[in-house]
Structure formats: C-alpha cells, structure tokens
Amino acid sequence: MSRPMVLRRHRLPDGRVRHALRRTRAGFRPVSLPTAEDEASLAVAEAQAVRAEAPDRPSSRRLAALLVAGALVSKLLGFVREILMAQVLGASLVADGFRGAMTAILLPLSLLQNESVPAILIPMHRDWQKSGDAPRRLAALTAALTLIALALMGMVQALGLYWVEAIVGGFDSAGQALTLEFVRIMALGMPASVMVNCLAAAEIAMGRSRLTTLRASNLNVAVLAGLGVLAWTGRFDGLAWAFTVAFNTLGAWGLWRLWREGQFDPAGLRPRAILAAGAEFLRRLRPLLALPVAEQGNVWIERVMASRLVTGTVASMDYARTITDSAILLISQPLGLAVMSREPSKDVPGEVARIARPILAAALPVSVFLMLFAPEVARIVFSRGAFNEHAVLLSSQALRGIAAGLWAATLGWILLRMLNSSGRNAAAALILSLSFGANAGFNLLTWHLQETSGAGPLLFGFGEALRGLVLLAGTVLMLGCAGRMLRLTAIAAIPAGLMALAGWQIHVGLAGTLERLAAGSAACAACVALGAALLLPETCRTLLARGRARLLSILSQAR
C-alpha cells in the first residue's frame, strides 16, 4: 500500500514559496520548513487547517483515564524498583548517597521543571494553539529551557564538591565521595530531563499523555537497569549511568516524535524566537518564583538534617514515600492534570464537592490504616535481603508520620490545579510556599527532639503531614469552599474513627504480621464502603441497583 502524501513548502532563491508533496505514514498534513517573518500568516492558516482536519482532542475524562493507567504502570514499576533497592542496598550508605545525588541534581532544576512548567506551559500552549503557532513556539521554549539546564549542569560539574557538601554535609568523607561520583554522572542527564518535562507538559495541553507516562516509568526502568548492572558487575556507578542514558534517550525520542507529528517546528529555533519564548516563560513564572525556592528549600533542609542522623534515615524517608506517593501519583496527578486541560468550571463549589466526596471517602480511612499498620506494611513490602529490622523501624516511623496528612495532600493537590486552571497562579504559589514553609519550619523546630528521641523519621513524616493539611486548608479558602469542606470532612471522619477503633482492637487481639494486615485490610475496606455510602449515596444506590439487575439477569438465564 502506498504511503499518503504531505504538502511541504520550500523557499526558492527568489523568495517565492513552492509546495511539494511527500509521503508519510500519518496522512495528509502540512509540514512547514523555516520561513521568513512576513509568511507568518501563511503558517497560521496552515496550522488552523490542520486543527480543523484533525480528530477531536481526547476528553478530560479519557485523558484522566490514560494518565491514571500510565501512573498505575509507573507505580507498579516503582514498587518493583524500591523492593529491589531495599533488597540489594537496604538502608545503607550507598542508598543514602544515591538519593542525596538525586536531590543534588533536581534541586538546581526546580525553576525549570516540577510544578512550575506544567502550571505555566499548559495554559501557554492552549493560547498558542488558538493563535495557530504552537509548534514553533514550543520549539523555541524547549530550546530556551534546555539551554538554561545546560548552563546549570556546567555549574554543578564545576562546583560538585562544594554542592555535595551543602546537600549532605552530615555524611562522612566516604559517603560524600560516593555521592559526588553519582552527581558527576547524573548531571549529564539534566538538560534532557528539562526537555522531556517541557515536551510532556505540551502534550498534556494537546490531550495526550505519552511522555508524562513514559517519564516516570523511564526513571523506574533506569534504576532497575542500574541495579542489574550493580548485581552483575558490583559497580555502584551503574545506577547513575542508567539514569543519564535513560533520560537522554527519552528526550531524543520525544523530540523526534513531536517533530514527525508536526507539533515541534524547527523554524522556531532562531535566537530571537528562543529569547522571546524564554522571556514569556519567565514573565509567567514570576508569580511562582517563591514556589520552587520554598519547595527545594524544604527538601534541602530535610536532606541536611537527615544526613546528620543515623545511617539509613535519608533512604527510609524515600522508602516510606514509595507507599504514600501512590495516592499522589495515581489520583492527584492524573485528576489534577485533567482539570488543567479543560476550561475552568463555572460552578466551583459543586466541582469541589464532586471531587472531594470520593477522595475523602477512601483517603481518610486508608490514612488511618497506614498510621496504625505502618510496621506491618513496611515489613511485608520491603523486609528481605539487606533490608533488616533497623530499616523496618526507620521506614515505618516515616510512613506513620506521612500518613497522618496523606488524605489532605491527596485532595489538596487536585484542588490546587483548579486554581492553576483558572489562572490564579499567584494564589496557588502562595499556598504551596506556605505549605512547604510550614514543613521546613516544623523540621527546624523539632531538630533537637529528632536527635535525642530516636524518632527522627517520625518527626520528618509529621512535618510532611502538616504540609498536606496547610495545602488543603489554603486551597479551600481560596476557592471559597471552607464550610462545605468542613462538613464533608466531618462526615468522612466517622468511618475514619471506626477504622482507628478497629485497628486498636486488631493489635490487641492479633500478633502475626500477616494476620494483622489481613484483618486491618478487611476493616479498611468496610470503612471505605461506609464512607462511600455516607458521602456518595446516589452513586451507591445506582451501583447496587445495577448489581441487583445483573444478578437477577444471571439467575433468570440459569433457570
């Protein structure tokens, strides 16, 4: 079968434009080459024709489903990654050094990725799509951000020794040397990481989720490959090289793929266009400047203080987050990005209630379950190989503390995206900055207690829980739904309280890890069902009616 043709424009020496047809796999679509400024109107007309002939963008519900599916795959890979890391490295100096190196690499990039780029680029790309110049503008902005990341990479390489000491100054000389070795290798992936983040946010604005899904899975696969290299060769630097190769490979693939689809136009890679796109990004970033400073400042404070406690504290925090981040990764991120990809709702209180009811029904009982059964969960998930009882103790302390505010963080992140979607980025940045500031302030105030009580990870976890509570309180206040949220939370507290009572009785009556987890999981499922009945009565009645009708249909056919 012959491949379909594509109309291309080529500039002739006399300045005229001729058109040629090229075969592609994608069908008829205009692919533009670099053009002069006076042909911008032609480029806009072509882009508008493409949008008119292209299929409709996926709905927000379908996009959310795709993101949830991708997040689920990524989370499963993440669980495998952390289980293998726990088995191979445990709560050791190598595990601490690798995680410290990750912080040293990601912290300088905080202005270019993390929350700032999606909150800015998705609305920017929506505007570019309306004007018909999205491929060129995306190319220009991607180049601008990648060049900045390249400069930051050079600074990290030049100041590596001092930078590592500033991040994990509590490590001994051997730990700092190992962390520095990781940093020098992993820094080579910094530009690609920023580029992938930028392109992924643009895809979300287009209603796609490929790079967003692949980015997290890519990191998990890279660490798994690094662990394989470590097990085969005994070389710890295999972890760092796997990270670098994976991000550079994904960045090259994403760039090529968007170019092939006509969503990335090299015509935008002109110095003037790159400077203009970078300036527009920085202008929109201005209200959010406090956010990355507060977030990464909080991370830095935690890493510095954790590095001065017993070996394994840094790793134990991340092992605990492997479990608690499931709610953020599987629920908050997909739903939040889906909220941002559509136009803001006119019925804000109704939208908040529709989002909050199912989240509160499930998240509050689950949070109580994790608090009560943290040691059993940590032991059943991680306790094998190098992950000994000392590691179980540290990780369960962190898990117990973080779980106290998990329900609030899960809901707060989604509602925060409603502020971003409505253009209230300054308010969103203020709320996030206050939440990270509360987290950092709590850690600093409890510093002496962390050293003397032996419960450092628990206190770090409580600080993170406080961050989630501040995040939820700030968003509902800004959205004007504080009263309704309090009523819904009070209703959800009924099954949560019953979960706490059941957990206490299970610990009194049962001793084995598996027995406690089995009984606790059953009690948690029952409490979630009760929460759904209280907060989503119409939905429950509908599901019960459908189930009853289906059962009667099966019975009638059996007769």
Side-chain angles (χ1 to χ4, degrees):
M1 183 182 293
S2 62
R3 292 164 61 186
M5 308 293 291
V6 168
L7 185 65
R8 297 195 65 161
R9 298 186 296 113
H10 299 274
R11 177 171 296 285
L12 299 177
D14 60 1
R16 294 179 294 109
V17 174
R18 69 179 176 85
H19 294 80
L21 289 174
R22 177 172 66 85
R23 295 186 184 275
T24 74
R25 299 185 182 89
F28 286 96
R29 62 181 178 87
V31 180
S32 59
L33 296 177
T35 60
E37 293 294 336
D38 58 350
E39 295 183 63
S41 59
L42 179 59
V44 170
E46 287 181 343
Q48 290 172 341
V50 173
R51 293 202 306 276
E53 295 175 2
D56 290 337
R57 230 177 56 170
S59 67
S60 296
R61 184 174 298 178
R62 184 188 171 203
L63 177 60
L66 290 172
L67 290 168
V68 168
L72 180 59
V73 173
S74 175
K75 190 60 189 176
L76 291 175
L77 288 172
F79 261 123
V80 175
R81 177 201 73 200
E82 291 298 319
I83 289 172
L84 289 180
M85 284 195 74
Q87 182 174 358
V88 175
L89 301 177
S92 64
L93 186 60
V94 176
D96 281 355
F98 179 70
R99 296 175 193 278
M102 289 285 292
T103 302
I105 293 301
L106 297 178
L107 196 149
L109 301 178
S110 57
L111 289 175
L112 305 178
Q113 55 185 28
N114 213 326
E115 297 306 317
S116 57
V117 168
I120 295 173
L121 185 54
I122 291 175
M124 284 176 68
H125 203 277
R126 284 202 306 239
D127 294 342
W128 296 343
Q129 288 174 323
K130 293 176 182 177
S131 66
D133 203 19
R136 294 187 187 184
R137 303 283 289 275
L138 175 60
L141 181 58
T142 302
L145 299 185
T146 305
L147 287 172
I148 297 173
L150 190 64
L152 292 172
M153 181 195 76
M155 293 176 62
V156 168
Q157 294 284 12
L159 304 173
L161 180 61
Y162 305 102
W163 185 232
V164 167
E165 187 176 357
I167 297 294
V168 289
F171 286 176
D172 58 20
S173 58
Q176 290 190 26
L178 181 62
T179 304
L180 178 60
E181 183 180 0
F182 285 145
V183 166
R184 292 208 184 280
I185 298 171
M186 294 165 66
L188 300 176
M190 291 172 67
S193 176
V194 170
M195 180 172 66
V196 169
N197 201 59
C198 182
L199 297 176
E203 279 200 333
I204 291 294
M206 292 183 252
R208 299 174 183 172
S209 60
R210 294 174 305 188
L211 284 173
T212 301
T213 300
L214 289 175
R215 177 183 171 86
S217 298
N218 185 59
L219 177 59
N220 293 327
V221 172
V223 175
L224 289 173
L227 289 171
V229 172
L230 171 60
W232 184 36
T233 65
R235 295 179 59 93
F236 294 119
D237 60 356
L239 289 167
W241 279 116
F243 171 90
T244 298
V245 171
F247 269 101
N248 280 283
T249 302
L250 182 60
W253 179 84
L255 199 64
W256 172 81
R257 192 69 186 174
L258 286 176
W259 170 75
R260 285 271 299 180
E261 295 170 351
Q263 302 297 339
F264 185 96
D265 190 351
L269 300 178
R270 298 190 303 271
R272 181 179 298 178
I274 293 172
L275 289 173
E280 181 183 359
F281 174 82
L282 293 175
R283 178 182 61 79
R284 297 198 184 202
L285 177 66
R286 196 179 307 156
L288 302 177
L289 282 176
L291 169 58
V293 173
E295 179 180 5
Q296 298 306 318
N298 175 61
V299 172
W300 173 70
I301 289 172
E302 181 188 293
R303 289 300 194 221
V304 169
M305 297 173 72
S307 70
R308 300 180 186 278
L309 301 178
V310 296
T311 299
T313 302
V314 174
S316 70
M317 295 300 301
D318 287 344
Y319 286 134
R321 291 187 180 112
T322 299
I323 299 170
T324 58
D325 282 355
S326 300
I328 307 298
L329 184 64
L330 297 177
I331 300 174
S332 300
Q333 285 187 1
L335 293 182
L337 290 173
V339 166
M340 287 187 65
S341 69
R342 66 192 185 198
E343 295 298 324
S345 173
K346 296 181 179 179
D347 181 17
V348 173
E351 183 74 7
V352 169
R354 283 190 293 272
I355 293 172
R357 287 177 181 275
I359 300 295
L360 289 174
L364 260 174
V366 170
S367 295
V368 175
F369 169 81
L370 288 175
M371 288 182 66
L372 295 173
F373 295 92
E376 289 80 11
V377 171
R379 186 172 292 109
I380 203 70
V381 173
F382 299 120
S383 186
R384 59 187 57 85
F387 201 90
N388 53 27
E389 280 301 309
H390 172 69
V392 169
L393 173 64
L394 295 177
S395 299
S396 62
Q397 284 185 6
L399 176 58
R400 182 166 281 161
I402 296 172
L406 180 61
W407 63 275
T410 303
L411 181 56
W413 277 109
I414 302 173
L415 300 184
L416 189 78
R417 293 307 189 189
M418 292 184 65
L419 290 175
N420 290 134
S421 180
S422 61
R424 300 171 66 182
N425 287 334
L430 176 61
I431 293 169
L432 275 174
S433 299
L434 289 174
S435 66
F436 285 115
N439 191 169
F442 182 88
N443 289 342
L444 290 171
L445 289 173
T446 58
W447 164 240
H448 180 69
L449 190 59
Q450 294 164 18
E451 284 191 317
T452 58
S453 67
L458 177 65
L459 293 171
F460 284 136
F462 282 150
E464 191 161 327
L466 178 61
R467 183 210 311 171
L469 293 170
V470 173
L471 175 64
L472 178 60
T475 52
V476 297
L477 286 173
M478 287 294 180
L479 292 170
C481 306
R484 178 173 294 190
M485 186 60 64
L486 283 174
R487 289 192 295 272
L488 294 175
T489 304
I491 295 173
I494 296 173
L498 292 175
M499 180 66 234
L501 180 61
W504 170 53
Q505 290 298 315
I506 289 170
H507 276 86
V508 171
L510 299 175
T513 297
L514 290 177
E515 291 83 352
R516 285 180 173 180
L517 278 180
S521 298
C524 184
C527 291
V528 169
L530 175 60
L534 293 174
L535 290 167
L536 301 162
E538 293 296 330
T539 302
C540 291
R541 279 194 288 267
T542 300
L543 292 176
L544 287 174
R546 289 179 180 176
R548 181 174 177 273
R550 179 62 177 168
L551 179 60
L552 291 175
S553 174
I554 294 174
L555 292 176
S556 63
Q557 291 175 2
R559 292 172 183 174

